Amino acid sequence: MGPIPSKWKGYCEPNDDVKCNRKLIGARYFNKGVEAKLGSPLNSSYRTVRDTSGHGTHTLSTAGGRFVGGANLLGSVYGTAKGGSPSARVASYKSCWPDCNDADVLAAIDAAIHDGVDILSLSIAFVSRDYFLDSIAIGSLHAVQNGIVVVCAGGNQGPTPGSVSNVAPWILTVAASTIDREFPSNVMLGNNKQFKGLSFKTNSLTAVKFYPLVYSVDARAANTSARDAQLCSVGSLDPKKVKGKIVYCLVDPSGLHVLNVEKSWVVAQAGGIGMILANHLTTTTLIPQAHFVPTSRVSADDGLAILLYIHTTKYPVAYISGATEVGTVTAPIMASFSSQGPNTITPEILKPDITAPGVQIIAAYTEARGPTNLQSDDRRVLFNIVSGTSMACPHVSGAVGLLKKIHPNWSPSAIRSAIMTSARTRSNLRQPIANGTLAEGNPFNYGAGHLSPNRAMDPGLVYDLTITDYLNFLCSIGYNATQLSTFVDKKYECPSKPTRPWDLNYPSITVPSLSGKVTVTRALKNVGTPATYTVRIKAPSGISVKVEPKRLRFEKINEEKMFKVTIEAKRDDGGGEYVFGRLIWSDGKHFVGSPIVVNATTLHM
């Protein structure tokens, strides 16, 4: 990489022996807030930029990691890893210990602004609060005033409605969805019946042959209950009955994933060479994990069939084999944990904005801990597979880095618009994106749709916004001078004729309480070649949507055109539920899409 840009003011903390280089150009920590909260001096574990949890390493490398060959987790996902913007410089601002304190997060954002970052990627999600009380909302608007794009995780509180975090309109809020990769780890029984399971640790049995198979209850240690042995609890297995065998165990009823990994540790400690882990409920999702022995996580029905084989066979045997497969499953599908809309602070602004890969993502990891949360996990890996909106967020941040390189003069809102309006709402099977229950998803799950970086490079048109627009938006929701002063250095006076929240020039249109009809205004800026765009509307159920004008002719770059959208309830069936549609402007080459979200409280004939 070339020399560090002269505008850069950041540095690496000197007391940690963390050396900056041309890739990592900043590493700082912030702990005054947590120290004030604890009310006592902090020990050395709070005075380090080093990542002891793996979260920061994983997310930073996802956003901007260089090409690294041979990346894998315990042999799974072997290949070359890279971040979204592999040529970008990166800096780390540690502010969570592991809990995140408002003061420390705000201090980190302030430092990042001062240092000269171009993009802030925050894989942090607090409970939503009024914006003038929200440290991320406050800090991010100051960042946007300095031309910085702020990308935030939407949170992992799904599928609860209204659980989405980081909902301020100047933030690009990211949901999480799956990718078309899976980790089959299949069980072949001695009767030649095969059952599909999942696991990260696969293909590790020393030879392709059958191994003795034992039910954990039949291998229990002395003075151990059948229930503890059934769950392969710590100390429940007799090494003499387990050594050299594959052990059949039940998943933990608590639902804690780490306890299921612990079962494979118990099997390994007792001398077992593999584990079949069966669900106990037919509704439980199969989740691959970093087990200590080759493992196959199977469904409840398949588990019962395997158990029947064990009980009816004199010498039951099995073999576990697996692989990493790409392109064999439907994707994207929304992660069930991904927090959902509506926006509980300003429901006129759709959140999340976009969805991106956030399930079973491989990226760099710390060597300060093992790949699981188990204290007994003394394994160390250079890469780990993790899920969360924290993982989805840096995918978008990386794409933003590429867009900033291609379009250095675009505003943060123009970049957000390009990402949202170019998003896709269908899977690789050309079906609507499904939610975690496999029912058809909607914008409360995925916002404008799934990230499509190549399309975002040339969106044709963008919905642009200025800081004044954001401040007028805050005026429209009733913020007074004191509350506004949190966001700007100088006193700001609200316009004499207040705007309406839904008229903010956002790339989505949301009317949370439609009574009769409402007209919404938007403006589009041309960032492409001269062209004429025609509107196409997919109206929400029971709602009439009319756009004027129906065509927009752009003659030059940066030319702006206004249009109005009249939304009217046309059916008398009580209302009270959100319905969803879509508005698309197209010149035949570009497709500038916006979700339409309406909650009609009163419907008319």
Side-chain angles (χ1 to χ4, degrees):
M1 300 185 77
I4 296 170
S6 58
K7 74 163 190 172
W8 180 248
K9 300 176 184 175
Y11 59 92
C12 288
E13 294 284 356
N15 66 326
D16 241 349
D17 200 32
V18 173
K19 300 287 193 297
C20 281
N21 53 46
R22 290 185 174 186
K23 177 65 175 179
L24 177 67
I25 60 173
R28 301 173 62 179
Y29 64 85
F30 303 86
N31 60 14
K32 301 298 184 188
V34 70
E35 184 173 49
K37 183 178 179 181
L38 294 175
S40 58
L42 301 175
N43 61 39
S44 60
S45 68
Y46 288 88
R47 294 192 296 275
T48 177
V49 298
R50 293 191 180 276
D51 177 19
T52 56
S53 73
H55 184 273
T57 303
H58 197 280
T59 53
L60 190 62
S61 65
T62 300
R66 298 282 278 178
F67 290 83
V68 179
N72 72 94
L73 171 62
L74 305 173
S76 290
V77 213
Y78 193 92
T80 298
K82 77 173 186 69
S85 287
S87 296
R89 323 274 181 170
V90 297
S92 172
Y93 297 84
K94 184 177 179 180
S95 56
C96 300
W97 306 93
D99 293 332
C100 306
N101 180 278
D102 277 307
D104 293 331
V105 170
L106 195 53
I109 294 173
D110 190 50
I113 295 170
H114 173 269
D115 289 350
V117 303
D118 296 301
I119 302 156
L120 269 173
S121 186
L122 280 77
S123 289
I124 301 172
F126 293 128
V127 175
S128 293
R129 294 167 285 178
D130 281 325
Y131 302 137
F132 64 88
L133 299 173
D134 185 332
S135 60
I136 294 177
I138 294 166
S140 60
L141 187 52
H142 284 274
V144 170
Q145 290 176 65
N146 285 272
I148 299 166
V149 182
V150 182
V151 186
C152 292
N156 301 329
Q157 303 305 312
T160 305
S163 54
V164 64
S165 298
N166 294 319
V167 295
W170 46 87
I171 292 172
L172 181 46
T173 310
V174 187
S177 43
T178 64
I179 56 178
D180 63 345
R181 178 174 64 200
E182 67 173 349
F183 306 92
S185 184
N186 301 330
V187 177
M188 176 68 77
L189 301 180
N191 60 6
N192 289 324
K193 288 187 177 179
Q194 182 169 298
F195 300 91
K196 181 177 180 178
L198 296 173
S199 174
F200 291 145
K201 181 155 184 167
T202 54
N203 285 335
S204 298
L205 290 174
T206 53
V208 181
K209 67 176 187 178
F210 286 114
Y211 293 81
L213 173 62
V214 64
Y215 180 31
S216 57
V217 174
D218 298 330
R220 60 179 167 173
N223 302 317
T224 297
S225 70
R227 180 59 172 167
D228 281 349
Q230 188 181 44
L231 297 175
C232 293
S233 301
V234 175
S236 66
L237 301 180
D238 185 345
K240 293 178 182 178
K241 299 175 182 177
V242 168
K243 187 176 180 180
K245 298 178 181 179
I246 298 172
V247 183
Y248 177 98
C249 307
L250 274 186
V251 301
D252 199 273
S254 69
L256 294 175
H257 300 319
V258 68
L259 295 181
N260 291 322
V261 178
E262 187 177 60
K263 299 177 193 309
S264 66
W265 180 82
V266 171
V267 170
Q269 292 298 302
I273 52 88
M275 180 177 73
I276 297 171
L277 185 61
N279 283 350
H280 66 286
L281 296 175
T282 57
T283 55
T284 305
T285 304
L286 296 182
I287 299 174
Q289 293 173 276
H291 291 284
F292 288 81
V293 294
T295 295
S296 180
R297 173 85 178 263
V298 298
S299 68
D301 289 342
D302 288 350
L304 289 174
I306 295 168
L307 192 59
L308 178 64
Y309 165 76
I310 294 173
H311 286 325
T312 57
T313 306
K314 189 170 184 180
Y315 298 108
V317 292
Y319 177 69
I320 296 173
S321 67
T324 301
E325 294 181 354
V326 178
T328 57
V329 292
T330 303
I333 295 172
M334 296 308 302
S336 58
F337 60 75
S338 186
S339 292
Q340 299 190 25
N343 180 337
T344 57
I345 305 303
T346 46
E348 300 86 358
I349 303 299
L350 174 65
K351 292 289 178 173
D353 292 310
I354 196 80
T355 188
V359 178
Q360 296 165 17
I361 304 302
I362 187 166
Y365 206 64
T366 182
E367 292 186 80
R369 58 178 296 173
T372 70
N373 289 322
L374 282 176
Q375 267 193 324
S376 56
D377 193 351
D378 58 4
R379 300 172 296 177
R380 294 296 180 264
V381 295
L382 297 177
F383 294 84
N384 199 6
I385 298 174
V386 188
S387 299
T389 56
S390 284
M391 285 67 243
C393 170
H395 278 82
V396 176
S397 303
V400 170
L402 299 179
L403 290 177
K404 291 270 291 186
K405 184 70 173 178
I406 298 167
H407 304 289
N409 297 321
W410 280 11
S411 69
S413 58
I415 289 175
R416 193 235 335 267
S417 175
I419 286 173
M420 290 177 65
T421 60
S422 63
R424 55 190 174 91
T425 58
R426 292 189 173 269
S427 72
N428 54 1
L429 297 182
R430 299 184 183 277
Q431 297 298 312
I433 294 176
N435 64 22
T437 66
L438 301 185
E440 184 174 332
N442 62 55
F444 284 159
N445 306 131
Y446 53 67
H450 190 275
L451 174 68
S452 185
N454 288 344
R455 291 173 59 180
M457 288 191 298
D458 180 22
L461 306 173
V462 296
Y463 295 89
D464 211 353
L465 285 161
T466 66
I467 296 301
T468 299
D469 293 323
Y470 289 128
L471 294 175
N472 287 344
F473 169 80
L474 294 176
C475 293
S476 75
I477 62 172
Y479 277 29
N480 59 36
T482 301
Q483 292 163 337
L484 288 171
S485 67
T486 309
F487 301 95
V488 284
D489 296 330
K490 292 185 278 187
K491 183 179 179 181
Y492 185 79
E493 290 193 14
C494 291
S496 56
K497 184 182 178 182
T499 58
R500 302 173 305 176
W502 51 79
D503 280 333
L504 183 71
N505 201 39
Y506 213 70
S508 57
I509 296 172
T510 304
V511 182
S513 184
L514 176 64
S515 180
K517 70 178 179 179
V518 66
T519 298
V520 177
T521 60
R522 288 291 187 273
L524 281 164
K525 177 185 286 187
N526 183 33
V527 292
T529 55
T532 298
Y533 286 79
T534 303
V535 73
R536 189 170 79 243
I537 300 163
K538 180 185 176 185
S541 176
I543 303 296
S544 167
V545 179
K546 295 179 180 178
V547 177
E548 288 293 336
K550 294 180 175 58
R551 285 184 177 83
L552 297 174
R553 172 67 183 167
F554 293 92
E555 304 284 353
K556 56 187 179 181
I557 196 82
N558 291 330
E559 182 180 5
E560 285 195 88
K561 296 277 187 178
M562 301 276 295
F563 66 94
K564 294 181 182 294
V565 183
T566 300
I567 300 171
E568 183 175 10
K570 65 178 184 180
R571 200 179 63 224
D572 189 12
D573 64 356
E577 291 186 354
Y578 278 97
V579 286
F580 308 93
R582 196 162 181 81
L583 180 152
I584 301 172
W585 289 97
S586 179
D587 64 349
K589 176 185 177 183
H590 306 95
F591 297 88
V592 186
S594 293
I596 301 173
V597 179
V598 181
N599 182 13
T601 55
T602 304
L603 299 179
H604 300 284
M605 293 299 290

